[in-house]
């Protein structure tokens, strides 16, 4: 159960309040998060040169249907795909299409599945063929950035602790943190309070309390942090066309620390994947 219910939340809109969830919600989020992780596991040996991202999109949709789930992005605010596929200098919200992947392409696949009304949201980086050395380094740095952010989650901490942990590490590796997009609360809503910035100062921001549910999803660039959104209204790219990478987990604040709901059952959530 949540600590409160109001009309805005019931009608699918952010209420301005941060919901604190109980054991039943955590169990539901484990189920949704695991299924999202399994959908991403399915992609691991499908991403290769010559495969169009539209085929990956169809695969995820069929997986969701087979498991009595629904892709949250499909028809969300007019979006017409089941996943986002962000290739090379695309930061996020890339649209799957019929263009085949090329050898050395890196891409983020972002999937959110609705399971019994609850949202499991996760993304990972994949490589078509063999990644260039600098691209693999960026992938490794981005994953480590995510996990440092996750490690900062604990009762009594703040959202600023999460952002600071990510920013200090990524910038220390001579990369930049995208400011234009952030993590978000979720549960029965796809996007809810609080916003989770991937940069910041320790001790600032929203206090972390047991029962909070949110995503951490840093976007890290090899070049400068500035991005622009293309004419399609969705695809965000780096302004300097430098490579970008992203990893995302859905987490919950517990009485003692953090629970990650979107860990791969096959151990494929971290590079190298060893497919």
């Amino acid at each position: 159960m949540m600590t409160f219910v109001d009309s805005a939340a019931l009608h699918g809109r952010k209420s301005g309040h941060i919901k604190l969830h109980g054991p039943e919600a955590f169990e539901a989020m484990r189920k949704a998060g695991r299924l999202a992780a399994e959908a991403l596991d399915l992609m691991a040996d499908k991403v290769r040169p010559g495969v169009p991202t539209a085929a990956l999109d169809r695969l995820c949709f069929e997986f969701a249907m087979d498991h009595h789930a629904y892709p949250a992005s499909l028809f969300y605010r007019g979006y017409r795909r089941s996943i986002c596929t962000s290739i090379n200098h695309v930061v996020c919200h890339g649209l799957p299409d019929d263009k085949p992947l090329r050898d050395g392409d890196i891409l983020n696949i972002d999937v959110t599945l609705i399971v019994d009304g609850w949202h499991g949201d996760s993304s990972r980086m994949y490589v078509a063929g063999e990644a260039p050395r600098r691209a693999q380094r960026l992938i490794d740095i981005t994953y480590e950035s995510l996990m440092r952010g996750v490690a900062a989650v604990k009762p009594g901490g703040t959202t600023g602790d999460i952002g600071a942990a990510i920013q200090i590490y990524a910038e220390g590796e001579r990369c930049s943190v995208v400011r234009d997009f952030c993590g978000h609360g979720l549960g029965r809503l796809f996007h809810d309070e609080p916003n989770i910035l991937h940069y910041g100062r320790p001790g600032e921001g929203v206090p972390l309390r047991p029962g909070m549910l949110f995503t951490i999803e840093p976007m890290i660039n090899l070049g400068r942090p500035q991005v622009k959104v293309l004419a399609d209204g969705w695809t965000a790219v780096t302004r300097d066309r430098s490579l970008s990478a992203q990893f995302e987990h859905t987490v919950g604040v517990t009485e003692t620390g953090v629970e990650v709901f979107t860990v791969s059952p096959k151990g494929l959530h971290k590079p190298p994947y060893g497919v």
Side-chain angles (χ1 to χ4, degrees), residues 7 20 39 41 47 106 108 114 142 150 174 183 208 224 229 260:
S7 60
L20 301 180
D41 287 353
V47 174
I106 64 170
N108 175 272
I114 306 173
T142 305
V150 170
R174 303 184 305 281
L208 300 177
R224 299 180 64 82
V229 177
V260 181

Side-chain angles (χ1 to χ4, degrees), residues 107-243:
L107 72 155
N108 175 272
I109 299 178
D110 190 342
V111 60
T112 305
L113 296 182
I114 306 173
V115 181
D116 299 329
W118 295 85
H119 292 73
D121 190 357
S122 187
S123 79
R124 299 180 204 158
M125 294 301 298
Y126 299 82
V127 179
E130 186 173 350
R133 186 181 204 90
R134 65 196 181 98
Q136 188 60 57
R137 175 176 176 269
L138 174 64
I139 290 172
D140 294 341
I141 289 169
T142 305
Y143 179 76
E144 179 66 18
S145 297
L146 167 66
M147 297 314 296
R148 291 191 181 215
V150 170
V153 178
K154 60 183 178 181
T158 68
T159 55
D161 297 343
I162 301 170
I166 293 167
Q167 181 182 8
I168 290 168
Y169 175 73
E171 292 181 353
E173 294 293 330
R174 303 184 305 281
C175 293
S176 64
V177 179
V178 171
R179 264 75 164 171
D180 299 66
F181 302 97
C182 62
H184 53 89
L186 80 172
R188 288 195 175 275
L189 297 184
F190 190 178
H191 295 99
D192 205 349
E193 305 291 351
N195 289 331
I196 305 296
L197 304 182
H198 303 120
Y199 60 94
R201 298 180 179 179
E204 295 186 350
V206 176
L208 300 177
R209 298 173 60 191
M212 292 171 64
L213 304 172
F214 50 82
T215 69
I216 304 174
E217 46 185 299
M219 287 145 272
I220 307 298
N221 297 345
L222 271 183
R224 299 180 64 82
Q226 287 77 17
V227 308
K228 64 179 179 180
V229 177
L230 301 185
D232 60 30
W234 287 102
T235 308
V237 301
T238 55
R239 284 190 173 272
D240 60 6
R241 295 188 67 83
S242 63
L243 291 177

